Amino acid sequence: MRTSTYVVAVGSNRRGRHGGPRAEVAAALDRLGGLASRIVASAPIGPSTRTFANAVALVRTDREPEAMLAWLKDIERDFGRRRGRRWGERVIDLDIVLWSGGMWASPGLVVPHVAFRTRAFVLALLAELAPSWRDPVTGRRVRHLLAQETRRRRLPLHVGP
């Protein structure tokens, strides 16, 4: 079996058994292992009004993408995540963003994550860990995707502490 690296986005905007959102993200990063970014605050996307705590982890494993997704869903359930409103409040959210194997598509999983190129907070954190990682769809490096997204928004990138 070969070892792969996954980029996993981690987010929380609801208190859980580990504490507030930052504590939930920190606990999830510990559970994932691997190389983790700093934890930052970001504005919610969609109907939620609560600020998110977010981070990114580089996780090395011999799991294939669907097995990795199943493992992440198990962790979410262990943290108390329940299915609910799309983009609503959640104690933890774990998303596969990229995979060292390139692209993957199955009924329950698409890699790279369909929205990662427009999530400045994900790109900024990933650029700190792996700025040269290439998007398998566009061929562009993460640092270039971040610069493009920052210009597109015409706003200074602010990722809080």
Side-chain angles (χ1 to χ4, degrees), residues 53-137:
N54 290 102
V56 171
L58 299 178
V59 180
R60 291 183 53 80
T61 180
D62 61 0
R63 291 179 179 92
E64 290 297 319
E66 288 180 335
M68 182 65 171
L69 178 64
W71 182 58
L72 296 178
K73 294 302 175 195
D74 286 345
I75 293 171
E76 287 180 345
R77 278 189 293 282
D78 287 351
F79 274 62
R81 169 104 186 243
R82 301 294 174 254
R83 301 317 285 166
R85 182 175 60 175
R86 180 178 168 102
W87 293 328
E89 295 172 0
R90 63 201 67 173
V91 68
I92 200 71
D93 185 31
L94 304 172
D95 290 326
I96 297 172
V97 175
L98 292 164
W99 169 51
S100 60
M103 294 183 280
W104 179 273
S106 64
L109 176 64
V110 174
V111 179
H113 189 284
V114 296
F116 94 96
R117 292 173 207 88
T118 62
R119 304 274 166 83
F121 63 90
V122 170
L123 293 170
L125 295 172
L126 182 53
E128 293 175 7
L129 297 179
S132 294
W133 191 312
R134 288 189 185 270
D135 174 358
V137 174

Side-chain angles (χ1 to χ4, degrees), residues 8 22 31 62 68 80 102 130 134 140 145:
V8 179
R22 290 182 73 83
R31 180 91 174 260
D62 61 0
M68 182 65 171
R134 288 189 185 270
R140 301 194 69 188
L145 294 171

Side-chain angles (χ1 to χ4, degrees), residues 6-59:
Y6 291 86
V7 174
V8 179
V10 182
S12 174
N13 70 342
R14 200 182 94 208
R15 183 171 204 66
R17 71 171 191 238
H18 301 98
R22 290 182 73 83
E24 293 299 323
V25 169
L29 292 171
D30 285 344
R31 180 91 174 260
L32 291 171
L35 181 62
S37 73
R38 61 195 168 102
I39 300 171
V40 300
S42 67
I45 297 171
S48 181
T49 58
R50 292 183 180 203
T51 298
F52 270 83
N54 290 102
V56 171
L58 299 178
V59 180

